[in-house]
Amino acid sequence: MKYLLWFFVGCVCIGTPFFIGYDQHDMWNSAFGGMIGGTLFLILLYFFVVRKKFSSKWKMIIASLFTFHILAFAAFIVVSYRTPTFQRDHLLTMRPYLVNMAIVDGEIYRRALSTLHLYYDQPAEKKKSFVEVFNVLYGKKIHNGIFETEEHQTPRGTFVTYQGDSVVQLIVSNDTISKGIRPDFANINGQKGQIQYTGTMSKHGVTYERNN
């Protein structure tokens, strides 16, 4: 009966702070509360049971085991808490790099290479201009000078302009999270301080520059 009582004491010591700090969006308060409650339970168990029931040798062994358990669990909680923070900071560092690669490769190079391939694959007697070839490939996807996106949200599009019939310019500023170089930079899509690239393609190839 006494051990059953201590079982309920342990449930109360751990469960009470766990549920007091409960947040479905952030479990760390509950984890820290449970750790503190568990530590309190082991301390109570030692002073009210172990110290009275066991010899000095076993008291030392059990006290060492309890201490090791508390320290190991505390270290585990701290490391587990710091790991997501490190991962989040690492992702914030990596995201601009990945966005840069996605813009250059996906939005600029991929479209330029497809256009160049079709342009130079034309028969000589029915040769279209570079801009005409570009519109054959992508014209249906462009609305009011902007590439439509799956979400159909204009501010996240790629902006298209033409210089005569020989040059196509793409201004890509479709990321709303990754920051650019200058926080005061006015992006073409109405955002501020975000990454932006300008790609220029013609029959001679493609070049690009980072605006921010």
Side-chain angles (χ1 to χ4, degrees):
M1 188 69 181
K2 179 183 290 187
Y3 294 108
L4 184 61
L5 176 62
W6 277 104
F7 170 78
F8 285 111
V9 170
C11 291
V12 172
C13 287
I14 298 173
T16 300
F18 181 90
F19 286 107
I20 288 176
Y22 178 76
D23 181 351
Q24 62 178 341
H25 302 295
D26 186 358
M27 294 296 294
W28 288 113
N29 289 334
S30 293
F32 284 122
M35 181 186 71
I36 294 171
T39 301
L40 176 62
F41 170 72
L42 291 179
I43 293 173
L44 292 175
L45 186 65
Y46 178 82
F47 280 102
F48 287 96
V49 177
V50 175
R51 196 176 64 167
K52 296 179 179 180
K53 298 286 186 181
F54 294 89
S55 64
S56 298
K57 176 183 176 180
W58 279 105
K59 282 193 287 187
M60 289 294 296
I61 294 174
I62 294 173
S64 300
L65 291 174
F66 281 4
T67 303
F68 174 79
H69 176 79
I70 292 170
L71 294 177
F73 190 72
F76 172 76
I77 290 293
V78 171
V79 170
S80 298
Y81 178 77
R82 294 181 62 184
T83 298
T85 303
F86 169 78
Q87 292 174 336
R88 182 174 61 249
D89 293 341
H90 187 63
L91 286 174
L92 290 174
T93 301
M94 290 297 296
R95 181 178 171 85
Y97 173 78
L98 297 175
V99 169
N100 290 336
M101 295 299 296
I103 288 175
V104 173
D105 290 340
E107 299 290 326
I108 299 175
Y109 273 175
R110 176 176 58 82
R111 288 169 176 155
L113 292 176
S114 297
T115 306
L116 286 166
H117 176 75
L118 185 58
Y119 177 81
Y120 283 106
D121 200 39
Q122 298 179 96
E125 64 275 10
K126 295 183 179 180
K127 200 165 189 178
K128 294 182 174 66
S129 70
F130 187 83
V131 170
E132 289 174 329
V133 171
F134 179 84
N135 280 314
V136 167
L137 287 172
Y138 301 110
K140 293 181 180 179
K141 299 179 180 180
I142 300 172
H143 181 68
N144 292 332
I146 304 171
F147 268 96
E148 291 185 345
T149 63
E150 294 181 0
E151 300 87 355
H152 300 288
Q153 296 175 344
T154 297
R156 292 181 60 83
T158 297
F159 293 72
V160 185
T161 58
Y162 305 105
Q163 296 178 15
D165 60 359
S166 60
V167 176
V168 178
Q169 189 174 69
L170 304 179
I171 303 178
V172 188
S173 183
N174 62 351
D175 186 75
T176 59
I177 298 178
S178 295
K179 300 298 181 183
I181 300 170
R182 303 195 309 275
D184 60 340
F185 180 83
N187 295 84
I188 193 172
N189 60 359
Q191 300 291 327
K192 189 173 183 180
Q194 307 299 327
I195 292 175
Q196 180 171 301
Y197 276 84
T198 297
T200 303
M201 58 183 74
S202 69
K203 66 180 182 180
H204 303 294
V206 57
T207 60
Y208 70 89
E209 65 175 333
R210 180 171 177 175
N211 309 127
N212 191 43

